[in-house]
Amino acid sequence: MSQVRMTRGQAGDGHVIALRGAVVDITFTGGSLPAIDDALFIDDEGRGTVVAEVQAHLSADTVRAIALQATSGLKRGDIVRPAGGPITVPVGEAVLGRLLDVVGTIGDKNGPLADDVPRRPIHRQPPPFAAQTGSADLFATGIKVIDLLAPLARGGKAAMFGGAGVGKTVLVMELIHAMASAYQGISVFAGVGERSREGHEMLLDMTNSGVLDRTCLVYGQMNEPPGARWRVPMTALAIAEYFRDERHQDVLLLMDNIFRFVQAGAEVSGLLGRLPSRVGYQPTLASEVAALQERIASVGDAAVTAIEAVYVPADDFTDPAVTTIATHVDSMVVLSRSMAAEGMYPAVDPIQSSSILLDPLVVGETHASVSSEVRRTIEHYRELQDVIALLGMEELGTDDRRIVERARRLQRFLTQPFAVTEAFTGVPGRSVKIEDTIAGCQAILAGECDGWSESSLYMIGTLDEAREKENAGQATAIPSASGAAA
C-alpha cells in the first residue's frame, strides 16, 4: 500500500467491531468521529492494509464504512486509522502512461511512483457556476454519423447509449484513436466495472497506437468490491481536474461504463441497508449521478470533455439510471440493435441520437439543414418499412420509392470502417471531415447517387471513394435488402 497516503487525522484510532462483506462497523474511543467520505485504513497482520470510506455515523462513537478492497482476512479488533480527509490519489505528469486503481495504487509493471508525486482528494465540489465557461467549439471526431447528427462539444458531455453487444466500447476506442492525432491534450480513461479482457485489450490498443504516453488509465474491474467500482470515476475526475485547474490543459475524460457506476452505487446502498427506490435503484440515484457529472466542466481556458458509454439494461431506454444520466449530457449517441443486426456499423440510430449543439447558430445553416433532412428522409423510410415488408417496393408511389431509395443510400453512406477493427476486418479505418460528410449527404439527397449501387456507398469514407467503387464496379457485398427492411 505504498501508494496510499496514511496520514493520521485528529480523531484517535478505532477498531473493527463488525464485518459483513464490504460493510465494516468501527468504533472510536475519544475524539471526534471521521467525517462522511473520509478515508480509513484498516490494519491487519495477515491481510495488510485495507482502505475503507465512511458512509454513516451510527452513534456518538461508531461509524459504518464501505471497504474499497476485499475484506477477506479482516477480523474484529483490527486497528483502524483515520486519514483525516478523503482518499488522495497521485496526479500530474507522473501518472500519464500508467494504470491505477481506485486508491491510486499502480497496477502495471513499470515500478512505483516517486514519493514527491502530487496527490489530490477524490471528493471535491464542482466548480461554481460563475466560474464555468461555456463553449460552442465542436470536437471533430472523423466519424460521419456522429459529426453530422450528434456533434460533440469541447467541455461538454456526450454519452453512448446502447444495450449489450451493439458496439459501445468499440465506438469509445475508435474515438480515442481518432482524437489521438488531432487532440493534443491529456486523456484519462476510467474503466468502471470493466471485464479483465476489455481492460487488457484497451491497454494493448493504446500501447500499439502510441497514445498511452498521454493517457492515464484508472480501473475498477468487475471482480472488485462495489465500493471500488463506485469510486473509480471520482479518482479519474481528480486526475482530470488537476490538469484542467493547475496545468490549464484540456482533458478528454472517457468513462466505460457509467451504468456500472450506478449499479455499484445500488449495491452499496443495499449493503448499507437503505430501502430501494424505483426498479431497485438506490434512493440517492439522482444526487450521486449529479455529484459526478457536475464536476465535468470548462473553467477558464481549459476544459474537461467527457465521453461516456452507458449500458441500457434490456434495451429499456426508460430505465431510471438511463434517464437520469441522459439529463446531464449535451450529446446523446444512441446505438440501435436493429441497425447492428443489419450490419450498419457504427450502429448509431440517426433518429434517436441528438445534440444540443445542432443549432444553425452553432454549427451553421448548412449543417443544421442537412442533418434535419437526413433525419426526415430516414424517418419516412422507417414509417414505410411495414408496407414494404408486406407488399414490396412495387406498391409504393414514385415519390415514396425515391425517398426510400435515398434513405437506404444515406444509411449506407453513414457506415464507416474503424481503425480499431482493422485487425478483424482487414479494411483500413477512415476518418472523414465534417465538410465531406455534409457534401456527401447533400449529393445523395439531391439525387446525384440515385443510379448507384447501394453497395458502393457501404463502409466507405468520402463520396469520392464511393464514386470510384461505382465506376470500377468493385462494390463489396452488403446485407440483403430484405434484411435491411425487416
Side-chain angles (χ1 to χ4, degrees):
M1 294 302 300
S2 60
Q3 296 296 325
V4 179
R5 186 176 296 280
M6 299 182 182
T7 57
R8 182 176 301 185
Q10 294 181 354
D13 289 352
H15 62 272
V16 175
I17 59 172
L19 276 162
R20 292 177 301 281
V23 179
V24 188
D25 289 351
I26 301 154
T27 186
F28 290 87
T29 55
S32 58
L33 291 180
I36 302 295
D37 290 338
D38 271 12
L40 303 172
F41 304 108
I42 307 170
D43 293 332
D44 183 81
E45 293 179 1
R47 178 70 175 81
T49 301
V50 174
V51 182
E53 192 176 84
V54 177
Q55 290 300 315
H57 291 175
L58 300 182
S59 67
D61 60 358
T62 306
V63 301
R64 179 162 290 168
I66 287 287
L68 304 188
Q69 296 161 324
T71 57
S72 57
L74 297 184
K75 59 187 181 298
R76 285 183 292 177
D78 282 342
I79 300 298
V80 180
R81 294 177 292 108
I87 295 166
T88 61
V89 295
V91 297
E93 297 286 339
V95 302
L96 295 179
R98 307 303 300 270
L99 190 151
L100 310 177
D101 69 3
V102 64
V103 295
T105 305
I106 294 297
D108 54 35
K109 298 179 181 179
N110 297 328
L113 297 175
D115 292 335
D116 60 350
V117 171
R119 306 179 75 91
R120 293 293 181 270
I122 67 170
H123 294 292
R124 181 180 173 186
Q125 289 297 315
F129 188 72
Q132 296 183 25
T133 55
S135 174
D137 296 339
L138 298 187
F139 249 94
T141 66
I143 300 173
K144 290 183 286 190
V145 66
I146 291 179
D147 286 344
L148 179 70
L149 300 173
L152 313 185
R154 173 181 172 270
K157 296 181 278 284
M160 318 289 173
F161 294 90
V166 294
K168 295 183 300 299
T169 299
V170 171
L171 193 54
V172 169
M173 289 174 66
E174 179 66 15
L175 284 167
I176 295 172
H177 189 278
M179 292 180 180
S181 56
Y183 180 81
Q184 299 301 321
I186 304 297
S187 296
V188 180
F189 179 83
V192 187
E194 289 275 88
R195 301 172 182 87
S196 297
R197 169 188 59 77
E198 292 174 333
H200 186 65
E201 287 176 358
M202 176 70 73
L203 186 59
L204 282 178
D205 184 70
M206 288 190 149
T207 303
N208 294 335
S209 60
V211 302
L212 187 62
D213 60 340
R214 304 297 293 166
T215 304
C216 176
L217 303 176
V218 187
Y219 276 97
Q221 295 187 148
M222 195 173 279
N223 62 330
E224 296 188 44
R229 290 178 271 122
W230 191 37
R231 291 312 190 201
V232 156
M234 305 300 184
T235 300
L237 261 174
I239 296 169
E241 287 170 337
Y242 173 83
F243 286 107
R244 179 193 68 190
D245 297 337
E246 301 186 36
R247 294 297 184 89
H248 305 289
Q249 291 177 286
D250 284 350
V251 184
L252 180 63
L253 177 63
L254 301 124
M255 293 189 277
D256 187 5
N257 185 303
I258 289 299
F259 177 79
R260 305 295 178 200
F261 160 74
V262 173
Q263 199 173 41
E267 291 179 50
V268 169
S269 180
L271 289 170
L272 294 173
R274 297 172 183 156
L275 289 174
S277 183
R278 282 193 306 153
V279 200
Y281 287 110
Q282 60 271 42
T284 53
L285 170 64
S287 58
E288 286 178 13
V289 172
L292 173 69
Q293 300 285 0
E294 292 305 307
R295 287 171 63 180
I296 302 167
S298 300
V299 178
D301 57 351
V304 174
T305 304
I307 296 174
E308 310 164 7
V310 184
Y311 168 68
V312 180
D315 292 340
D316 179 13
F317 284 87
T318 63
D319 185 88
V322 176
T323 56
T324 302
I325 294 168
T327 60
H328 289 274
V329 300
D330 306 315
S331 302
M332 286 182 59
V333 179
V334 178
L335 299 174
S336 162
R337 187 170 302 281
S338 61
M339 292 192 67
E342 294 168 14
M344 300 297 161
Y345 290 107
V348 176
D349 190 317
I351 308 303
Q352 295 188 56
S353 301
S354 62
S355 171
I356 62 170
L357 298 170
L358 210 55
D359 185 286
L361 298 176
V362 178
V363 297
E365 188 67 45
T366 303
H367 185 165
S369 62
V370 169
S371 63
S372 177
E373 186 63 27
V374 166
R375 275 204 180 92
R376 187 159 47 245
T377 303
I378 294 175
E379 193 166 19
H380 191 73
Y381 166 47
R382 290 189 178 178
E383 291 172 355
L384 295 170
Q385 279 186 326
D386 288 343
V387 176
I388 296 169
L390 290 171
L391 304 175
M393 286 276 287
E394 297 77 15
E395 297 301 317
L396 296 178
T398 305
D399 290 342
D400 284 343
R401 190 180 305 177
R402 183 170 58 249
I403 290 173
V404 167
E405 290 172 350
R406 290 177 183 174
R408 290 173 58 82
R409 286 175 173 81
L410 283 170
Q411 284 186 333
R412 280 148 183 76
F413 176 66
L414 293 176
T415 61
Q416 188 171 342
F418 282 172
V420 295
T421 59
E422 183 176 346
F424 307 102
T425 63
V427 180
R430 307 287 198 280
S431 179
V432 184
K433 295 179 180 178
I434 182 59
E435 296 83 5
D436 294 333
T437 301
I438 293 171
C441 291
Q442 281 180 313
I444 294 170
L445 290 168
E448 293 180 25
C449 308
D450 284 357
W452 294 13
S453 168
E454 290 179 0
S455 58
S456 297
L457 295 156
Y458 181 70
M459 283 295 171
I460 49 112
T462 64
L463 196 66
D464 290 338
E465 187 179 341
R467 186 176 287 108
E468 291 173 7
K469 285 176 65 176
E470 181 67 21
N471 293 337
Q474 296 176 348
T476 55
I478 63 166
S480 64
S482 59

